Amino acid sequence: MATIKENFGTTDVDDEDIEDMVEKIVEFYRTAEDGKLPGKYDQELFDEVKKYSTSTSKAIKEIVVAQKTSNALDCIMAFSQDPIRKVEKLDQLLKKVTADIVKIQAELEVRKAKLGGGSNPSGSENVFENEKTIISECSAILESLEGAVC
């Protein structure tokens, strides 16, 4: 449940939230693949999580209710349908994506360092300083001409 709360920001998750998250994750992997970044796209896992999104969201709700109950019998009854098993694939997917994000961030840092380490390819933070100066000078000339030209 901690993984779900970290990734969704809440434990109140419905099937649409799960499907939306899966679509965003698929988009993330496609972008990573286009950039030749590490991270393996597991179509079977994505399909399974998306297919069972309704039962997974119900299982999450059952677990939340069971965690809040103080009566042991109610807790046992809540877990009798094994909601944890239904949430395992979502948990597995979220952990995989989190690990892949770390790998991709590390790879991006390596690539950035190879390019000079700055926020742009040349490595210089002030790459447009000359252009900014010229624009400022042109703006000053235009301001001085304001009203003088028809």
Side-chain angles (χ1 to χ4, degrees):
M1 292 305 291
T3 305
I4 291 169
K5 186 165 179 123
E6 288 171 13
N7 288 281
F8 285 96
T10 182
T11 54
D12 185 24
V13 179
D14 63 8
D15 58 331
E16 290 176 5
D17 294 333
I18 295 170
E19 290 171 9
D20 289 344
M21 169 96 43
V22 170
E23 288 176 22
K24 289 177 184 176
I25 291 170
V26 168
E27 185 178 322
F28 163 75
Y29 278 106
R30 286 188 181 141
T31 303
E33 187 177 289
D34 290 344
K36 308 288 188 241
L37 295 166
K40 185 176 181 313
Y41 179 78
D42 186 353
Q43 184 68 44
E44 186 178 315
L45 181 60
F46 290 100
D47 290 344
E48 191 169 345
V49 169
K50 196 169 186 176
K51 181 179 178 181
Y52 296 110
S53 62
T54 303
S55 63
T56 302
S57 67
K58 288 179 183 176
I60 291 170
K61 289 177 175 74
E62 290 172 8
I63 292 169
V64 169
V65 168
Q67 288 175 331
K68 292 180 181 178
T69 188
S70 58
N71 185 341
L73 185 58
D74 290 339
C75 187
I76 291 170
M77 291 300 292
F79 282 104
S80 66
Q81 297 296 317
D82 198 14
I84 294 173
R85 182 183 51 80
K86 295 175 184 173
V87 178
E88 283 178 339
K89 290 295 182 181
L90 177 61
D91 183 60
Q92 181 182 351
L93 174 65
L94 294 174
K95 287 179 179 175
K96 178 190 179 339
V97 171
T98 303
D100 285 344
I101 287 172
V102 170
K103 288 179 197 172
I104 288 172
Q105 286 175 334
E107 176 67 21
L108 288 175
E109 289 298 319
V110 168
R111 289 183 184 186
K112 188 175 178 181
K114 287 180 181 177
L115 291 173
S119 60
N120 59 57
S122 68
S124 171
E125 293 293 328
N126 300 323
V127 71
F128 296 112
E129 207 54 49
N130 290 340
E131 288 81 358
K132 289 178 184 177
T133 304
I134 292 169
I135 291 172
S136 295
E137 291 171 359
C138 289
S139 293
I141 292 170
L142 289 174
E143 286 177 12
S144 68
L145 294 175
E146 201 171 281
V149 178
C150 304

